[in-house]
Amino acid sequence: MAGNNSNLGAAKRAKNDEFYTQLTDIEKELRHYRKHFRGKTVLCNCDDPFESNFFKFFVLNFKRLGLKKLIATCYEGSAVAEYRNGKAKPYKAVVTTVHDTTGDGGVDMEDVRNLFELGENELVELEGDGDFRSEECLALLDEADIVVTNPPFSLFREYVAVLMEHQKKFIIMGNINAVTYKEFFPLIKDGLVWPGASFNKTMEFILPDDYKKWNYRMADGRKVGKVPTIAWYTNLDIKKRHEELILVKKYAGHEDEYPHYDNYDAIEVSKVANIPLDYDGVMGVPITFLDKYSPDQFEIVGMCENLDLYGLKTRVYTSEECHQRYFELFGKPGTYDLNAAGVVNGKKVYQRILIRNKHPEQPKEVQQ
């Protein structure tokens, strides 16, 4: 576990990387998991209740989802600090009941605030800085059945590692390029984690007031910016995971459309729509394939990557070969890292996942 100074630094980085997910996007995704929530304790451990739409979704649907308990924690310096006497302290919110306190016949965030004030639910300061790896936050993690949040992307590797170590069920957000991380891809390959219902989407997030990286628009006094290549990841089973991809193209008779890699015993398939229905060997496909991936139909055998973690390379290029190829392509000194990807006719292709069709169409027997 990280020490206090390390935790505080992580908390500050996380705060700078804190994008608030819009409620409509949360509703679109979480409707696919409704059956998993009944009778469960849900933890949102990167979420300020008065800013986070994850907390808002769960607290306003507490009874409909049949939740047992909802817990939320946030980092030091969260927006609620000003609400609580200006103390820049992290805190936890624990909800076990949600009901109408105003007599208007419905439940809204005013009722949620009132239930904290009345002491029917709990809103208290944390002892530490709110880092998800701190002892008190890990204790809350162990209490939870399901974790649902948008963790700071800069801490994605560490965040997933904690979830896996504590054997938690989860629904979280990240970038689609996370699947290429050497710490994360094995979880995808081995069927321990898979894409959620939405994958490779451009989504709008509420940005920190001082965030300047992307263009943004103003909405209700807040910065709202589009962020591309967003994915949901989970280890809860959903219907989409078992929907098989309809394949229409054939390899037989069209072999010239599927070049063989120079450094892998596999063919290059540049578009998911071009995956052949009759090829029984290994194929390299774009990482966007995961949006259509069903473990009932395909096996993930590895990835084109530098270290040959899966023992699939048929050729490893020397440093001299990489320098020579760079000069051939660009006419000046440099290095062309041929080992970092699949290579076709001496040129690297984009990042590829290596797959095999479990049930390829068999060639029809020729009638005599």
Side-chain angles (χ1 to χ4, degrees):
M1 188 189 312
N4 290 337
N5 290 338
S6 177
N7 283 358
L8 182 57
K12 289 179 179 178
R13 290 196 305 275
K15 180 60 184 174
N16 293 334
D17 197 16
E18 195 170 19
F19 300 162
Y20 290 106
T21 314
Q22 299 205 83
L23 186 59
T24 53
D25 292 315
I26 294 171
E27 291 171 339
K28 286 177 184 177
E29 181 68 22
L30 296 190
R31 64 188 175 89
H32 298 279
Y33 307 82
R34 182 172 175 177
K35 67 179 182 180
H36 293 289
F37 294 124
R38 183 158 299 277
K40 298 298 195 298
T41 295
V42 171
L43 172 65
C44 303
N45 59 351
C46 299
D47 297 87
D48 177 338
F50 299 101
E51 290 281 344
S52 169
N53 283 318
F54 282 97
F55 180 84
K56 186 174 183 179
F57 171 83
F58 282 113
V59 79
L60 296 183
N61 291 281
F62 192 90
K63 289 186 177 179
R64 186 173 69 88
L65 294 173
L67 295 184
K68 175 184 177 181
K69 183 185 292 187
L70 172 63
I71 306 171
T73 61
C74 62
Y75 289 100
E76 186 173 54
S78 68
V80 81
E82 294 180 4
Y83 169 76
R84 302 187 68 231
N85 301 320
K87 294 181 180 179
K89 292 282 290 182
Y91 60 98
K92 69 174 178 181
V94 180
V95 176
T96 55
T97 183
V98 178
H99 58 84
D100 178 17
T101 64
T102 61
D104 63 1
V107 174
D108 57 22
M109 291 305 290
E110 182 179 356
D111 295 302
V112 175
R113 287 178 181 266
N114 289 342
L115 289 167
F116 285 134
E117 300 273 347
L118 293 169
E120 293 188 45
N121 292 320
E122 183 182 10
L123 181 65
V124 297
E125 293 179 357
L126 291 169
E127 294 179 4
D129 53 39
D131 189 292
F132 59 82
R133 296 164 296 185
S134 65
E135 288 187 10
E136 58 184 336
C137 288
L138 289 177
L140 295 173
L141 178 64
D142 288 334
E143 182 181 347
D145 299 301
I146 305 173
V147 180
V148 187
T149 193
N150 175 9
F153 287 4
S154 62
L155 300 177
F156 185 84
R157 293 175 176 87
E158 294 93 329
Y159 187 81
V160 172
V162 169
L163 294 180
M164 299 307 295
E165 180 183 352
H166 289 255
Q167 301 180 343
K168 290 293 126 179
K169 296 297 184 181
F170 58 85
I171 310 162
I172 61 173
M173 301 177 74
N175 190 284
I176 69 164
N177 291 315
V179 304
T180 67
Y181 299 165
K182 69 178 189 296
E183 302 91 346
F184 190 57
F185 179 76
L187 303 178
I188 298 283
K189 176 183 176 295
D190 295 340
L192 300 176
V193 180
W194 46 87
S198 300
F199 189 80
N200 193 27
K201 304 295 183 182
T202 295
M203 292 171 52
E204 284 194 326
F205 292 86
I206 301 170
L207 305 175
D209 291 338
D210 58 352
Y211 205 84
K212 299 177 181 179
K213 184 175 180 180
W214 286 298
N215 292 330
Y216 60 87
R217 62 182 177 86
M218 298 300 296
D220 298 324
R222 301 298 302 273
K223 290 181 179 179
V224 177
K226 290 183 178 180
V227 183
T229 62
I230 297 299
W232 294 80
Y233 297 103
T234 187
N235 55 0
L236 291 168
D237 204 20
I238 56 175
K239 181 180 178 181
K240 179 189 175 185
R241 187 171 179 245
H242 302 284
E243 295 174 350
E244 297 193 5
L245 180 63
I246 297 174
L247 306 176
V248 296
K249 298 204 70 171
K250 288 195 172 184
Y251 177 78
H254 302 275
E255 290 87 351
D256 59 333
E257 298 177 23
Y258 299 97
H260 199 279
Y261 292 119
D262 302 344
N263 56 340
Y264 288 91
D265 186 11
I267 61 171
E268 159 72 356
V269 182
S270 60
K271 296 180 180 178
V272 174
N274 293 341
I275 295 175
L277 56 85
D278 58 341
Y279 189 73
D280 62 1
V282 178
M283 300 172 277
V285 296
I287 62 175
T288 53
F289 158 80
L290 288 175
D291 189 38
K292 306 295 183 182
Y293 168 57
S294 167
D296 305 325
Q297 184 179 19
F298 292 102
E299 174 191 5
I300 297 176
V301 298
M303 182 170 58
C304 295
E305 40 73 37
N306 210 314
L307 300 176
D308 197 22
L309 298 172
Y310 307 99
L312 298 171
K313 287 184 184 290
T314 57
R315 179 178 179 182
V316 176
Y317 296 90
T318 66
S319 177
E320 182 179 348
E321 287 174 315
C322 292
H323 287 299
Q324 180 180 343
R325 189 59 181 146
Y326 188 92
F327 189 83
E328 291 171 350
L329 290 172
F330 305 109
K332 57 183 179 180
T335 186
Y336 190 65
D337 191 359
L338 293 162
N339 293 310
V343 178
V344 175
N345 297 324
K347 288 190 176 182
K348 295 186 296 183
V349 299
Y350 288 107
Q351 184 69 59
R352 296 290 187 251
I353 294 174
L354 298 171
I355 66 168
R356 181 185 284 110
N357 190 338
K358 290 183 174 180
H359 311 290
E361 179 183 282
Q362 299 300 314
K364 295 181 180 178
E365 292 185 8
V366 178
Q367 305 234 340
Q368 300 295 328

